[in-house]
Each structure stands twice: as C-alpha cells, then as structure tokens.
Amino acid sequence: MSAFKDLLSTNDMIILDGALGTELEKRGYDVSGKLWSAKYLIENPQVIQDLHETYLRAGADILTTSSYQATVQGLKDYGLTEAKTLDLIALTVTLAAQARDKVWADLSEAEKARRPYPLISGDVGPYAAYLADGSEYTGAYELSQEAYKDFHRPRIQALLDAGADMLGIETIPNVNEVKALLDLLADEFPSVEAYISFTAQDDQHISDGTPIEEVAQLCDSSQQILALGINCSAPALFDGLIARIKSVTEKALVTYPNSGEVYDGATQTWKSAPDNSHTLLENALRWHKEGAQIVGGCCRTSPDDIAFIAQAIR
C-alpha cells in the first residue's frame, strides 16, 4: 500500500469527511442502541452510501467507512453469525467504493483536476465503541494486550480484504490500546498505512490521562502510522495538543473536532452548548498553519462544514 503516503506527499491540505452517526440522526434516523449507525448496515445500507456521496460532493478527499461501531463482537451480540458480521464489515468498504465511483464519474475533467482521487479509509474505532457507554471520552477500561488484538484483528482484516486503501484508527482514549494496535499492525499487517487519532479532555493528555507527548512518541516509532492527531474532542483543546504533538514528531498531523458539545454515555445524548467561537473552517485553517495537514469534522459536524473547507482551499 502506498496510496495514503502518495496523498500526503502531493497535497498540502487534505480534507476528511465529517460526522456519520450524528448526521444520520439529524436527518431523522434513529441511531440509539449499542450499534448506533451500524444498524443501518443491516436495515438500510443505502442511507449510508447516500451520506458518503454527500461528503464526496462536498469535497472530502478521504472517505471514512461506517465501521466505527461495526465490530465482530458487537454484531454477534446483535444476533448475527460471525460470517455475517464479517460480510457487514466488508459492506462498509463496498458502500464507500460505490459512492466514490458514482460521484467521481459525475465530475467533469476540470473538477477532477482540482482535487485528488478520494481514498477509502477503513474506520477502526476503540474498544470503547463496542461498550457504547461513552468511555471513548474517559479511557476507563482495561484489557490485556492479546485481548485488544483479538478484538481489533478480524475487523481490520475484513476492511483490508474488502479493499480499503488505508486505515483510520480513531477516537482512541487509552494508551494500552494504542500499544496493542501498533503491535498488531507491525506484526500482522505490515504493509498497511494508517493514521491514528485520540480523544482528549484537556490540552495535555489523552482521555485516560496519559501525556499526549508519550502517546505521540509511541506513534512516531511506527513505520505504518503516517499521521496522528486528535478527533472528537472540543475545539478549544486542539492548539495546545497540536503544539505538544509537534514537539516529539514530524509526522503529518490530523485534526477533526466535534462541535464542542459533551457526550453523555448513559443517555446517549449530546449536552451543553456547541463551541461557536470559531467555525470549523476557521479552526481548520488555523490548525493548518500550526502544522495540521489532514482536517475534517467529527460528531455534530456536517457536510456543509466540509464544503466550506473545500471551497476555501480550492
């Protein structure tokens, strides 16, 4: 694999897509329950493909598969066989690929010349997503290194077998899970390229309290992690976190915040007011000046946000 490396080497600013689950919710789809948006892989996969197409038309360069909540264990708990769970994880890549094919075919040659060919990033969420209790924002869970690997291995394999161009390992709140994922990639998926991003509750640590510099140094030593950063965290925290990450690595930086609202895992709702002090575009441009190469949005952001970024840089 070299598609992600090539994208980084030829583009000064790369646009990720935005929220999936909260955008479906905004459009009237029920995303409650442990599967969250992944239940639409079973009930109505077309709505996921439609949203992928919307983000691509908005200008996204990297399309994230709908596999964040789609884990083998989570889908088995829903009553599916292991074979069916793997088929559904593979479907997340198929839906993204179909969306890319459709949108790219509709673009004029002039439009294609103004943007890179979009990549499909196989989404690897944390063990916390399976727990569905909001622990993405605390990191308050602990498995053995082998248990973490056993949890992540089949989904990663299914995403790659289905044709994902790269992996997006995201919303990771726990340093020991980071260690397990890096070892898993090195030992069992040595050719895969990936970015990894973490959640944070202050501007110095990831969510479990580990200093961000310590986590960034772990990632800096990985040949397969080509970019790292922060996602689904309050925008106000990013400036300090970016500076600390930059102090220990020269790898590309990734920034895609949530709206600044706070997630309540017990009620599966977003609370407090969004941070409207700056738009996502304003934040993305500022963080780009501070070193972020890959920018986008996470929970409670929208295709309009992504479109504003694309219009500003193209």
Side-chain angles (χ1 to χ4, degrees):
M1 284 186 171
S2 63
F4 185 33
K5 184 177 182 180
D6 292 343
L7 184 70
L8 287 167
S9 67
T10 55
N11 293 272
D12 179 59
M13 195 171 184
I14 297 163
I15 305 171
L16 279 173
D17 53 10
L20 177 65
T22 58
E23 182 63 20
L24 288 175
E25 185 177 45
K26 189 166 72 175
R27 296 178 178 206
Y29 295 98
D30 178 14
V31 295
S32 61
K34 288 193 71 172
L35 284 185
W36 202 30
S37 58
K39 70 181 180 180
Y40 289 99
L41 294 169
I42 304 167
E43 297 176 4
N44 189 356
Q46 186 62 46
V47 303
I48 295 175
Q49 181 174 327
D50 290 346
L51 188 50
H52 285 325
E53 292 176 19
T54 300
Y55 276 117
L56 286 170
R57 291 193 181 97
D61 302 320
I62 296 179
L63 196 60
T64 307
T65 62
S66 54
S67 50
Y68 177 86
Q69 207 87 4
T71 64
V72 169
Q73 190 58 54
L75 292 166
K76 286 173 71 174
D77 289 352
Y78 194 73
L80 304 180
T81 65
E82 182 162 346
K84 182 60 175 177
T85 71
L86 296 173
D87 287 344
L88 286 175
I89 293 168
L91 176 62
T92 69
V93 180
T94 300
L95 293 171
Q98 289 174 170
R100 178 175 63 182
D101 290 346
K102 183 176 180 181
V103 172
W104 198 253
D106 289 341
L107 297 180
S108 68
E109 292 305 313
E111 289 171 323
K112 292 176 182 178
R114 288 196 294 268
R115 59 188 291 186
Y117 184 66
L119 298 186
I120 295 171
S121 175
D123 193 313
V124 179
Y127 182 75
Y130 162 67
L131 296 176
D133 61 359
S135 52
E136 291 102 320
Y137 308 104
T138 65
Y141 54 90
E142 197 60 64
L143 278 67
S144 69
Q145 290 290 289
E146 287 308 310
Y148 280 128
K149 293 176 185 179
D150 290 344
F151 175 79
H152 287 292
R153 181 184 295 109
R155 174 171 52 179
I156 290 175
Q157 187 68 66
L159 291 168
L160 296 175
D161 287 347
D165 298 307
M166 55 181 284
L167 296 178
I169 303 170
E170 64 171 6
T171 327
I172 308 296
N174 182 302
V175 68
N176 289 322
E177 189 168 16
V178 174
K179 293 174 181 176
L181 282 160
L182 296 181
D183 285 347
L184 180 63
L185 293 185
D187 293 342
E188 300 183 36
F189 304 99
S191 65
V192 73
E193 298 175 335
Y195 74 77
I196 188 167
S197 58
F198 317 101
T199 60
Q201 309 310 312
D202 62 43
D203 66 357
Q204 302 178 47
H205 309 85
I206 66 170
S207 291
D208 72 351
T210 303
I212 188 64
E213 294 95 333
E214 178 182 330
V215 184
Q217 284 179 320
L218 288 172
C219 299
D220 187 65
S221 66
S222 168
Q223 297 298 310
Q224 295 161 271
I225 300 297
L226 304 188
L228 67 152
I230 306 296
N231 79 292
C232 212
S233 303
L237 306 178
F238 277 62
D239 294 272
L241 291 163
I242 290 170
R244 292 175 183 276
I245 293 171
K246 283 176 59 180
S247 72
V248 296
T249 183
E250 295 182 355
K251 291 191 176 186
L253 302 185
V254 184
T255 59
Y256 53 118
N258 59 31
S259 63
E261 294 166 80
V262 177
Y263 186 70
D264 184 332
T267 62
Q268 293 191 321
T269 57
W270 290 85
K271 298 184 176 180
S272 78
D275 181 353
N276 292 321
S277 60
H278 296 88
T279 66
L280 183 61
L281 170 60
E282 289 170 335
N283 282 327
L285 294 176
R286 186 176 77 257
W287 297 333
H288 178 59
K289 289 180 180 178
E290 296 172 5
Q293 187 175 359
I294 304 171
V295 299
C298 206
C299 290
R300 312 287 278 187
T301 64
S302 72
D304 286 344
D305 292 315
I306 302 307
F308 290 142
I309 295 175
Q311 290 162 12
I313 70 170
R314 293 186 180 129

